[in-house]
Amino acid sequence: SAVISQKPSRDICQRGTSLTIQCQVDSQVTMMFWYRQQPGQSLTLIATANQGSEATYESGFVIDKFPISRPNLTFSTLTVSNMSPEDSSIYLCSVASEAFFGQGTRLTVV
Amino acid sequence: TQLLEQSPQFLSIQEGENLTVYCNSSSVFSSLQWYRQEPGEGPVLLVTVVTGGEVKKLKRLTFQFGDARKDSSLHITAAQPGDTGLYLCAGVKTSGTYKYIFGTGTRLKVLA
């Protein structure tokens, strides 16, 4: 099983600012996924991040708003840019095949 | 957009009752997974079903994958307060890009 650590676990941010969320895995994985979970809702896939290539974004999500880095096989970051209150959500990273999730980052934008 | 619809959306039952949660789609999936998520935590994988018609049991939980691999059900026998949580199904697509499509979720509350 993979152990996934996310930082920060929660944050309260001012609108217009950006927040970078880190996801660290204790083993090398090819694919990492970033999800958003709005209050009381299910998970929506933002993008798939493969090491050495640009992330693949799902419909409704764009790189300018959610830039992703994947510098190596154990780490990824998701940035939520120019935040608005509508970005208040839980953001989760996950690894493929075994579908392990981090505990998530609870973001509140005020 | 590939949708996985779960029903019911909310369920509040008494301890000891049985319940079934359904997960339906018009898409075929390579496999389907069920998760439970508790407040402040990420989803935790309960089971993966791969073969059409497959049935898996996990203590009081019974999972079934539809014959056509488009739908699934989760049955809980003699529910307990510890079963309370958000239940999510997720279909796995391996054609094209590998991805998980999550269902709309079922929020279960079991009252003591």
Side-chain angles (χ1 to χ4, degrees), chain A residues 45-63:
Chain A
L45 181 64
I46 297 172
T48 303
N50 293 329
Q51 193 269 333
S53 63
E54 280 199 6
T56 302
Y57 288 83
E58 296 298 305
S59 176
F61 298 96
V62 296
I63 188 170

Side-chain angles (χ1 to χ4, degrees), chain A residues 17-54:
Chain A
T17 63
S18 297
L19 176 71
T20 296
I21 302 168
Q22 299 179 5
C23 181
Q24 179 76 51
V25 188
D26 69 344
S27 57
Q28 293 186 339
V29 293
T30 305
M31 300 176 74
M32 294 177 73
F33 301 101
W34 285 98
Y35 292 88
R36 181 174 70 186
Q37 186 175 29
Q38 294 179 305
Q41 303 292 317
S42 182
L43 279 70
T44 301
L45 181 64
I46 297 172
T48 303
N50 293 329
Q51 193 269 333
S53 63
E54 280 199 6

Side-chain angles (χ1 to χ4, degrees), chain B residues 23-60:
Chain B
C23 173
N24 294 297
S25 174
S26 58
S27 297
V28 176
F29 295 101
S30 302
S31 60
L32 193 136
Q33 299 180 331
W34 284 92
Y35 295 80
R36 181 171 65 219
Q37 185 180 22
E38 299 187 27
E41 301 292 329
V44 175
L45 180 64
L46 297 174
V47 78
T48 301
V49 285
V50 179
T51 307
E54 181 177 2
V55 176
K56 280 193 175 178
K57 292 196 173 188
L58 184 65
K59 296 184 181 178
R60 294 175 294 100

Side-chain angles (χ1 to χ4, degrees), chain A residues 31 33 35 37 40-45 48 56 58 90 92 94-104 106, chain B residues 1 6 9-10 33 35 37 39-45 86 88-89 97-105 107:
Chain A
M31 300 176 74
F33 301 101
Y35 292 88
Q37 186 175 29
Q41 303 292 317
S42 182
L43 279 70
T44 301
L45 181 64
T48 303
T56 302
E58 296 298 305
I90 299 172
L92 298 128
S94 171
V95 299
S97 75
E98 296 176 328
F100 292 100
F101 283 85
Q103 82 280 12
R106 185 178 295 271
Chain B
T1 304
Q6 285 184 236
Q9 189 177 358
F10 299 98
Q33 299 180 331
Y35 295 80
Q37 185 180 22
E41 301 292 329
V44 175
L45 180 64
L86 177 65
L88 297 160
C89 63
T97 56
Y98 188 107
K99 65 172 72 173
Y100 297 84
I101 309 296
F102 276 83
T104 47
R107 194 167 294 280

Side-chain angles (χ1 to χ4, degrees), chain A residues 75-88:
Chain A
F75 188 77
S76 179
T77 67
L78 169 75
T79 298
V80 186
S81 303
N82 188 24
M83 288 183 284
S84 67
E86 291 71 35
D87 294 320
S88 297

